[in-house]
Amino acid sequence: MDYEYAPLRLPPNVDRVTAAVQLAIQAEFSGWELARVRLFRDGTRQVVLRRRRVNQPQPGLSY
């Protein structure tokens, strides 16, 4: 399997529910899945999304 990755950084003012909803929308409409989440002391989350690489173009991330 060949994957493409998209790193995201969520600021500390984004709560867990809001982050989950944003990531669920990306998963539903763009085919991304959660690969890794790191929570830092200041509340910042570093998220890595992945999806299978295909020959057809797929929609990118929306912020």
Side-chain angles (χ1 to χ4, degrees):
M1 292 281 163
D2 192 23
Y3 289 97
E4 61 179 315
Y5 293 88
L8 298 174
R9 196 172 271 275
L10 300 174
N13 62 345
V14 175
D15 65 352
R16 186 177 182 154
V17 174
T18 305
V21 169
Q22 289 177 349
L23 296 174
I25 290 170
Q26 292 300 327
E28 180 71 26
F29 295 106
S30 299
W32 293 100
E33 63 184 35
L34 189 62
R36 179 185 305 158
V37 177
R38 291 179 65 194
L39 179 61
F40 294 97
R41 285 182 169 218
D42 67 352
T44 302
R45 288 179 181 84
Q46 181 181 7
V47 178
V48 178
L49 301 176
R50 73 176 185 178
R51 68 180 172 190
R52 289 184 184 166
R53 189 178 303 264
V54 294
N55 294 335
Q56 299 171 351
Q58 291 184 341
L61 291 175
S62 61
Y63 298 99

